[in-house]
Amino acid sequence: MGSKLTYQQAGVDTRRAAALVGDIKSHVARTQQNRKLLGAFGLFAACYDLSAYKQPVIVTGCDGVGTKLELLLEHDLLEIAGKDLVAMSVNDILTTGGDPLLFLDYIGIAALNEEKITRLIAGMCDYLADCDCILAGGETAEMPGIVPPDVIELSGFCIGCAEKPELVDPSTLQVGDVLVGYASDSIHANGWSLVRRVLRENPGCVSDDELLGFLQPTRLYHDVVRDIRSAGVKPKAFAHITGGGLPENLERLFRGFGADLEIPAWDLPGIGKLLAHVDSEDRFHTFNMGIGWVAIVSPGEAEKILSAGPGGTILGTLVDSEGVRVKVRGE
């Protein structure tokens, strides 16, 4: 019998994994201060009561952290990775006019590491608690021989709900509508394959402090959406500016329209040093260029939402020629 193997000897420790669930309870509890799951703890799926909604429409989002994760792991910024994971999906939910309700995560790791996983989940819960979204469950997969020891795989899934009449409707857009942009906090979690190549081919082109600034988490825009609602404005469209930059993320909303945009200079320290090595046109199609969120409203409502969140700026208006053209003020 001594020659027979256990699951633990194969590299997977289910008992430690079960204990970890108990260890992270305090973080999970932070995400249920205002919203609660329905039903008993220990179910194999989470339940949420939608009876508070009169005409509920389910909205969903799924995303990851992309190749930014490599540098976050290298610099031991696990909490930021958790925040990025949440923001990338929650922001997408917010673009519909819906409320983020439930979040689930997938973590793939070579061997269970309680400290690393707890820090990832702590970062997730910081952001989830901020936007009243419940960490409803997830999957931690031990993958010895598949996931390299120095790698962690991350995926996030968000479920939200909107009242049907409150859904954002881009089909109502028309020429003259105003685009209001809201600042990003960093490069966010897109464009990092290009960033990594620039850094690899131009070592020392940015300082360590500047790189850490680039790595700050993707901003959550729930504060902007909340303040716009409080102002009594229902935007015709929202855009979360991720991969593809302003052009691609806005063009997907337009049917027969376009926009000529002028954006403020990106004030992220060191970003000019990085962009000096990037094609001048491609930068607009890769990075958020300092604008991570856009609301599109009728002309009479633009001034009402300029103070939403930390504040926005008017970027331009819809025009009848297709395509989104972007330039930086003063260039």
Side-chain angles (χ1 to χ4, degrees):
M1 295 292 291
S3 63
K4 295 186 177 181
L5 292 171
T6 67
Y7 205 6
Q8 184 180 29
Q9 288 170 322
V12 179
D13 193 329
T14 57
R15 292 175 178 83
R16 283 177 64 192
L20 177 62
V21 173
D23 293 341
I24 63 174
K25 280 183 180 178
S26 61
H27 290 298
V28 175
R30 293 194 286 131
T31 71
Q32 294 195 56
Q33 296 302 305
N34 296 307
R35 292 191 170 108
K36 306 287 184 183
L37 293 177
L38 176 68
F41 176 81
L43 298 176
F44 289 85
C47 302
Y48 189 84
D49 183 0
L50 294 177
S51 60
Y53 290 83
K54 296 177 182 178
Q55 298 182 60
V57 175
I58 295 294
V59 292
T60 61
C62 171
D63 214 328
V65 181
T67 60
K68 180 182 179 183
L69 184 58
E70 179 187 60
L71 287 171
L72 292 174
L73 293 174
E74 181 182 326
H75 290 269
D76 195 30
L77 299 171
L78 294 172
E79 290 83 359
I80 289 179
K83 291 177 180 180
D84 277 329
L85 189 67
V86 167
M88 293 300 288
S89 286
V90 165
N91 284 340
D92 285 352
I93 294 292
L94 293 171
T95 65
T96 69
D99 304 315
L101 300 179
L102 308 177
F103 187 82
L104 300 101
D105 64 84
Y106 165 82
I107 301 173
I109 194 166
L112 196 68
N113 184 314
E114 292 91 340
E115 188 260 345
K116 288 184 176 180
I117 293 171
T118 299
R119 288 175 59 198
L120 283 167
I121 291 173
M124 294 179 208
C125 292
D126 284 346
Y127 262 19
L128 291 169
D130 282 348
C131 64
D132 285 337
C133 185
I134 297 170
L135 182 58
E139 166 70 5
T140 299
E142 293 180 79
M143 307 276 278
I146 301 296
V147 176
D150 58 345
V151 171
I152 298 176
E153 297 178 335
L154 285 179
S155 296
F157 312 86
C158 191
I159 301 168
C161 188
E163 292 285 9
K164 191 173 183 179
E166 298 304 317
L167 285 169
V168 169
D169 184 6
S171 69
T172 62
L173 291 170
Q174 56 187 359
V175 170
D177 286 339
V178 179
L179 294 90
V180 180
Y182 299 86
S184 58
D185 283 348
S186 63
I187 294 175
H188 289 181
N190 298 100
W192 282 90
S193 293
L194 179 55
V195 174
R196 287 164 52 247
R197 178 159 179 175
V198 168
L199 296 178
R200 185 169 62 249
E201 294 183 356
N202 302 275
C205 71
V206 299
S207 70
D208 290 343
D209 285 343
E210 288 166 342
L211 178 57
L212 290 176
F214 295 173
L215 288 166
Q216 289 308 295
T218 303
R219 178 179 163 189
L220 270 180
Y221 289 96
H222 65 295
D223 53 349
V224 171
V225 173
R226 178 199 62 216
D227 289 353
I228 289 174
R229 287 177 180 171
S230 296
V233 175
K234 180 183 176 183
K236 297 182 177 184
F238 283 126
H240 178 204
I241 309 306
T242 55
L246 284 160
E248 279 85 344
N249 285 284
L250 290 170
E251 286 169 358
R252 66 198 292 181
L253 300 171
F254 301 162
R255 297 294 181 269
F257 299 123
D260 295 303
L261 306 182
E262 189 172 89
I263 63 174
W266 199 357
D267 63 358
L268 184 64
I271 196 64
K273 301 176 188 177
L274 178 78
L275 294 179
H277 300 281
V278 173
D279 181 86
S280 61
E281 180 62 25
D282 193 65
R283 59 182 172 155
F284 294 112
H285 297 270
T286 303
F287 303 114
N288 62 57
M289 294 298 293
I291 300 293
W293 188 263
V294 175
I296 307 177
V297 297
S298 60
E301 295 185 315
E303 292 293 329
K304 298 178 186 177
I305 67 170
L306 288 179
S307 61
T313 183
I314 293 175
L315 305 179
T317 59
L318 287 187
V319 298
D320 59 8
S321 57
E322 294 188 4
V324 173
R325 296 154 291 276
V326 187
K327 66 178 183 179
V328 178
R329 292 172 191 162
E331 286 191 359

